[in-house]
Amino acid sequence: MSKFAVSLLLIVCALYVCNAKKGRYTNEWVVQVREGSDTADDIARRHGFRNLGKIGNLKDHFRFVLQSEVSGLHTSSKSEAISQEEQVVKAEQQIVRKRVKKGYMVPGDSKWTKQWSLKNTGQTNGPSGLDLNVEKAWLQGITGEGVIVGVVDDG
């Protein structure tokens, strides 16, 4: 194998490892367009995407899918090209991130008395009773098992 081929292989592997640490990139982008869905359709078509439509109630945000697979790698050239469009506010390739389930505190936990959001007794000099009332839920047999909670934070 030539030195060039070995160098090229090392560069490709390094790029893959760097991207893998951050998460696996998808072939989908979120694109914010100033002028609505007709403009979004045109931009998507010009850059080899298909506009899957508006994202929920987000104003002027659209979901674009790249017509060709990107194999989990970051495709910055596509993001840069779309971002050059005058009507585009921003374009961001989506990443699949691994989420790790965290454990929860139970009353037998040594830190239970510090969990004011679960049972507020005034331990932080605030008004007692302003908490999530989890003990009442637990007494009813509600543990959260099988419940999926989604949090959307725009900041």
Side-chain angles (χ1 to χ4, degrees), residues 57-151:
N57 292 327
L58 294 175
K59 185 176 191 255
D60 299 327
H61 285 74
F62 298 88
R63 187 171 148 217
F64 285 13
V65 62
L66 190 60
Q67 297 296 335
S68 59
E69 275 298 317
V70 294
S71 303
L73 296 177
H74 181 51
T75 311
S76 59
S77 60
K78 283 290 187 185
S79 296
E80 290 168 10
I82 295 172
S83 296
Q84 296 301 312
E85 293 277 348
E86 188 177 321
Q87 303 92 338
V88 171
V89 176
K90 71 178 176 180
E92 186 175 324
Q93 187 176 3
Q94 299 302 287
I95 302 171
V96 176
R97 290 194 170 95
K98 183 178 180 183
R99 301 288 184 216
V100 178
K101 182 178 178 182
K102 296 177 182 172
Y104 60 91
M105 303 294 191
V106 294
D109 186 354
S110 62
K111 295 183 181 179
W112 172 251
T113 58
K114 296 181 193 256
Q115 301 295 316
W116 64 267
S117 59
L118 300 177
K119 182 173 176 114
N120 189 350
T121 60
Q123 63 267 53
T124 59
N125 296 324
S128 63
L130 294 176
D131 54 45
L132 297 174
N133 290 318
V134 294
E135 289 179 311
K136 290 179 184 175
W138 289 338
L139 289 172
Q140 295 174 26
I142 301 169
T143 63
E145 185 176 337
V147 174
I148 298 172
V149 176
V151 177

